[in-house]
Amino acid sequence: MRSIGLFTSLCLGASLISLAACQPAPEATQTQTAPSPAPSVQEVLTPTPVNVSQERPKAMVAAANPLAVEAGLKALRDGGDVVDAAIAIQAVLGLVEPQSSGIGGGAFMLRYDAKAQTITVYDGRETAPSAVDETLFLSESDQPLDFLTAWTSGRAVGVPGVIAMLAIAHDDHGKLDWASDFSSAISLANHGFPVAKRLHDVSEQVMAYSPLDERPATASYFYDDQGRPWPIGHVLTNTAYAQTLSLIAADWRNFYEGPIALGIVEATRAEPLPGAITMEDLASYTPVKREALCVPYRSYQVCGAPPPASGGVAVGQIMGMLNHFDMQALGPTRDGWHVFIDANRLAYADRDQYVGDPDFVDVPIEGLLDSDYLASRAALITMDQALVRALPGEPPRAETMGIDASNDAPGTSHFVIRDNDGNVLSMTTTVESPFGSQRMTHGFLLNNQLTDFARAPRDEEGRLMANAPAAGKRPRSSMSPTIVLDQDNNFVLATGSPGGNSIIGYTVKSLVAMLDWGMTPGEAAAMPNVVARGEITRMEEGFDPDIQQDLRAQGHRIEGGRGEVSGIHIIRALPDGGSEGAADPRRDGQARHP
Ligand code: GLU
């Protein structure tokens, strides 16, 4: 059995979160021109990380791949709502960025309605099959499975939620036919698309620690007949995916019943460590509409997704603590970063203790965001000394459960959309680890989202974790799709990122950079990332070495290295009503107007 030790040594001690960054990017070996209607290979290979047009209209899309951006823009040009654009983008991402997200995964989505000035959260998180209990990831000797074993096992596959979530959102807001929202993706899947840099890079990296050889169907799609990843620009088709999308376009329930559902059951129940998904589990999947969690921050309201996403609570807690400091005056200096780091550390400690699926555990959401509680947490931050270790606090109305410090791996995408009516959508979508469970059926990959549960369900004192596996339960997520409003509920900006549990730190960085430090969306996305969780602060390459030195002198335990791979996508309202946006230069994406 492959072990996590092998993996960590391959990555020279980098954490699982940074696995996509732990090896140098390979050279492209071959390029081809994609046939119409795909954009040119050149466009895919040299994306514009920050792309703001002169006219700056309201409508805009920022996403991780130019073909997905184009599909979203087409939906907007055709008169679609932001939800129509989201469906078009997700369908294309599942084709061109399948290592990150797809119809076999789950998502959280926030939609701001410009007329009503309200935000609705759509929860399409995967659920555990009905046969699951807290022993899901325990071996026969009751030891938690190592991550690599759990990752590609059938046990890791949750009931996918994206399609059902998009379907209820389309019922609420869609302006185009459901079927037409899939047309760009179906056409690309049939005609071919050029392999982007990141798909190539991750295909190569994954070979080093979890080769696809146990899954020949997956390997034969992603690798050539010599077992090498397709080169950047190679034109790939996926007619099985086109057929699947055509069935979903005819009726979204075709994903949860009939041949596609059967394919999901069979792929999940295959060795090794078969999972337990049944046709009934698929047929009964239910997406949930939830209320957004909004916390005041200076003159703004920062809104996110509630549990089972931990992002809304954690981002809200951090901003609530930062509210007790003048971050604008502190700026991106040693003192500004010191406060940022300690506030992050305190919020991660609470998240690890208290957040799970609210249908199963009593998550003290109000207590965690209570202003007196946050004031007491902020008071733990002193200007002269690093906190180093943060313990969870005791928010009002909280029941104490086991502490769960499990990691999430990088395999996610974030996109933002604004339409001409001013509606805004912020969605983070994931198959969990790169290529999800690596199990493929009907042209798409199945998630390994259940590894987001605590693999060891109880702590040393035998207390059950808030995030322990259970039948029908949604695993805790770090996803943090965020929308910021002003005090009159007008749209200010939308942001979010992939990146495992570092998502929370990346999202907060982008917020502080724009709301306090006067940066543009492009500068905010590009700024080196800082993630403070447990006792370590991870700083991305490019961070000011003098500030790093000063922070060390203050007691911060800092680790550098190549750092994390964020994928921050941002749209911000301009005073004249238009939009500006940015795509994270670490990925292949773009921010563009129609
Ligand atoms: N599965 C993780 C979550 O839902 C996200 C993983 C990632 O961003 O790469 O929080």
Side-chain angles (χ1 to χ4, degrees):
M1 202 59 71
R2 289 179 292 271
S3 78
I4 196 78
L6 166 67
F7 170 77
T8 45
S9 63
L10 280 165
C11 289
L12 299 173
S15 84
L16 188 58
I17 302 163
S18 62
L19 96 179
C22 66
Q23 295 177 36
E27 294 288 313
T29 53
Q30 183 193 327
T31 56
Q32 277 178 247
T33 305
S36 177
S40 71
V41 171
Q42 202 47 40
E43 190 180 356
V44 175
L45 299 186
T46 53
T48 315
V50 181
N51 187 345
V52 181
S53 83
Q54 294 297 317
E55 301 143 30
R56 303 191 176 203
K58 201 167 256 162
M60 189 163 208
V61 170
N65 181 288
L67 296 167
V69 170
E70 178 51 29
L73 291 175
K74 180 178 181 305
L76 296 184
R77 282 195 296 269
D78 291 348
D81 181 83
V82 285
V83 168
D84 294 298
I87 297 164
I89 292 169
Q90 178 64 83
V92 173
L93 285 176
L95 178 70
V96 301
E97 203 201 26
Q99 74 276 16
S100 296
S101 80
I103 60 175
F108 289 95
M109 178 173 105
L110 267 58
R111 183 186 179 280
Y112 169 73
D113 193 285
K115 216 183 251 168
Q117 294 194 303
T118 52
I119 295 174
T120 307
V121 179
Y122 291 89
D123 168 348
R125 186 69 164 167
E126 296 89 337
T127 52
S130 47
V132 158
D133 62 25
E134 68 175 73
T135 64
L136 177 65
F137 290 118
L138 295 183
S139 66
E140 277 169 15
S141 56
D142 271 354
Q143 292 307 306
L145 299 177
D146 66 75
F147 183 79
L148 284 182
T149 306
W151 167 6
T152 54
S153 72
R155 293 188 198 176
V157 183
V159 181
V162 169
I163 288 295
M165 181 198 81
L166 291 172
I168 60 163
H170 186 268
D171 282 351
D172 289 348
H173 301 289
K175 293 210 293 203
L176 304 177
D177 279 353
W178 167 257
S180 72
D181 290 338
F182 293 91
S183 58
S184 296
I186 292 171
S187 172
L188 280 167
N190 279 324
H191 290 93
F193 65 94
V195 167
K197 180 175 184 320
R198 194 162 163 78
L199 173 54
H200 169 85
D201 290 356
V202 180
S203 302
E204 180 146 282
Q205 287 154 10
V206 91
M207 293 172 82
Y209 52 90
S210 182
L212 297 171
D213 51 11
E214 280 170 6
R215 287 155 289 274
T218 312
S220 69
Y221 176 64
F222 289 105
Y223 299 150
D224 67 15
D225 51 14
Q226 307 291 310
R228 293 174 307 213
W230 296 116
I232 300 169
H234 172 82
V235 176
L236 206 51
T237 55
N238 187 342
T239 51
Y241 185 61
Q243 281 161 17
T244 296
L245 290 188
S246 299
L247 282 169
I248 295 169
D251 184 345
W252 67 268
R253 287 175 196 81
N254 285 337
F255 182 85
Y256 293 94
E257 294 163 7
I260 302 175
L262 202 55
I264 295 172
V265 168
E266 281 169 2
T268 303
R269 290 179 162 247
E271 295 288 344
L273 296 174
I277 289 184
T278 62
M279 293 296 274
E280 292 69 40
D281 289 327
L282 284 155
S284 59
Y285 179 82
T286 313
V288 185
K289 272 200 264 185
R290 302 186 188 271
E291 236 177 85
L293 282 184
C294 294
V295 297
Y297 184 66
R298 313 207 194 292
S299 60
Y300 305 104
Q301 307 172 62
V302 177
C303 302
S310 60
V313 173
V315 170
Q317 280 202 309
I318 296 167
M319 300 311 281
M321 285 183 260
L322 296 184
N323 229 351
H324 293 270
F325 300 85
D326 190 345
M327 291 301 284
Q328 199 171 346
L330 291 175
T333 60
R334 181 202 75 164
D335 287 347
W337 283 114
H338 163 71
V339 172
F340 177 98
I341 288 168
D342 279 358
N344 272 265
R345 203 181 302 293
L346 286 160
Y348 273 108
D350 273 355
R351 164 210 186 260
D352 292 350
Q353 170 98 46
Y354 293 113
V355 182
D357 183 341
D359 288 347
F360 288 76
V361 289
D362 198 5
V363 185
I365 301 175
E366 281 174 29
L368 288 164
L369 295 173
D370 178 85
S371 56
D372 290 340
Y373 175 66
L374 288 176
S376 73
R377 295 292 274 172
L380 298 173
I381 305 173
T382 56
M383 291 314 290
D384 49 348
Q385 183 95 39
L387 198 53
V388 183
R389 181 147 188 260
L391 294 172
E394 289 179 10
R397 299 175 293 282
E399 183 193 331
T400 303
M401 302 189 81
I403 298 175
D404 167 19
S406 52
N407 277 330
D408 320 324
T412 300
S413 208
H414 180 80
F415 59 83
V416 282
I417 310 163
R418 192 178 187 206
D419 67 20
N420 270 325
D421 296 328
N423 302 311
V424 178
L425 189 141
S426 183
M427 171 162 157
T428 316
T429 174
T430 184
V431 288
E432 207 325 77
S433 298
F435 300 95
S437 63
Q438 303 179 357
R439 291 162 186 248
M440 218 170 168
T441 182
H442 288 78
F444 65 91
L445 286 159
L446 293 173
N447 69 82
N448 65 309
Q449 211 65 247
L450 302 192
T451 59
D452 271 2
F453 281 126
R455 268 170 290 133
R458 292 177 183 270
D459 69 7
E460 278 167 11
E461 289 160 42
R463 293 176 304 184
L464 193 68
M465 309 274 189
N467 188 33
K473 192 173 176 182
R474 287 160 148 82
R476 180 189 67 196
S477 169
S478 302
M479 293 193 280
S480 311
T482 301
I483 293 180
V484 178
L485 306 180
D486 68 14
Q487 276 164 343
D488 299 322
N489 298 324
N490 297 305
F491 170 68
V492 174
L493 64 87
T495 185
S497 179
N501 61 48
S502 304
I503 288 173
I504 292 161
Y506 299 159
T507 303
V508 172
K509 177 205 76 171
S510 69
L511 290 170
V512 172
M514 287 184 283
L515 300 178
D516 291 316
W517 295 344
M519 294 189 191
T520 64
E523 290 165 343
M527 183 164 58
N529 288 307
V530 175
V531 177
R533 186 182 179 204
E535 296 179 20
I536 303 297
T537 300
R538 297 174 53 78
M539 284 191 169
E540 198 176 29
E541 207 171 76
F543 193 91
D544 186 323
D546 293 338
I547 297 180
Q548 220 172 95
Q549 191 58 30
D550 290 350
L551 287 165
R552 281 207 173 92
Q554 224 176 353
H556 289 281
R557 291 180 55 193
I558 293 170
E559 284 184 9
R562 295 235 9 223
E564 321 282 349
V565 180
S566 56
I568 300 166
H569 293 105
I570 300 168
I571 292 179
R572 177 162 83 168
L574 291 163
D576 65 3
S579 300
E580 63 175 351
D584 196 317
R586 298 165 189 81
R587 300 214 177 198
D588 300 322
Q590 282 183 336
R592 273 175 52 209
H593 296 292

